[in-house]
Amino acid sequence: MDTISTRYAKALIELAIEENKVSDYQSQMKFVHSVIKENSELVTFLKHNSIKDNDKKDLISKIFKDNVNVNVLHFIYLLIDKKRINYLSQICRDFNSECNNFRGILEGVIYSTEVLSLDKVKKLEESVSLKLNNKVELSNSIDPSLIGGIKIVVNDTVFDNSVSNRLRALKQELINGKDVR
């Protein structure tokens, strides 16, 4: 599905590819995404219709000018001018996916009952990358229904080491009359 956010993400990756700076743009857009995720007041300010676009751009410049290149900064300005700034978070996610696709990196999700440390996520990325013979980037999502353990999904591959999965397997073995010792 070609959404507004996807079109902007594709336009930005074309520029990143043209400049041969996909990794740089990707890390900069991850930084932008982290800032807007952590600052709901910023998002509210940027979405507010009665605030002038120049005031929004001034604030964006103050926040990002030392951390992103001029093209990323102007890209955000464009979103303000075109009244598309409310798509910025989704554009960041779509852009990250486009970058990973371009670089041959698979994306997946670690489902767990609690937030995992960055170190744990990195170790799981390394382990899954070895199993799949491909670089993998994982995000963490909370799923209390797992009871405990983790479940990792990368495309059509599922690694399920959750308590709920083990209980399901045990139940099935009991139903089938197998020895569960």
Side-chain angles (χ1 to χ4, degrees), residues 44-87:
T44 303
F45 179 85
L46 293 172
K47 288 181 177 181
H48 204 285
N49 290 330
S50 65
I51 297 173
K52 294 178 182 168
D53 288 351
N54 284 338
D55 293 337
K56 294 176 184 180
K57 290 177 187 178
D58 287 344
L59 181 61
I60 289 295
S61 178
K62 287 176 186 169
I63 294 171
F64 295 117
K65 72 178 177 189
D66 294 330
N67 298 299
V68 300
N69 75 33
V70 67
N71 287 332
V72 170
L73 198 58
H74 287 154
F75 178 78
I76 299 171
Y77 292 167
L78 176 71
L79 296 176
I80 292 169
D81 290 338
K82 297 291 184 181
K83 309 293 185 224
R84 300 291 197 215
I85 196 66
N86 53 320
Y87 294 99

Side-chain angles (χ1 to χ4, degrees), residues 11-22 25 71 102:
L12 186 58
I13 194 162
E14 286 176 15
L15 178 61
I17 291 169
E18 183 179 305
E19 293 184 2
N20 198 25
K21 294 184 177 180
V22 174
Y25 275 63
N71 287 332
F102 175 78

Side-chain angles (χ1 to χ4, degrees), residues 82-100:
K82 297 291 184 181
K83 309 293 185 224
R84 300 291 197 215
I85 196 66
N86 53 320
Y87 294 99
L88 182 56
S89 184
Q90 185 61 47
I91 290 168
C92 290
R93 286 190 296 272
D94 290 349
F95 180 74
N96 189 60
S97 293
E98 291 288 334
C99 289
N100 285 341

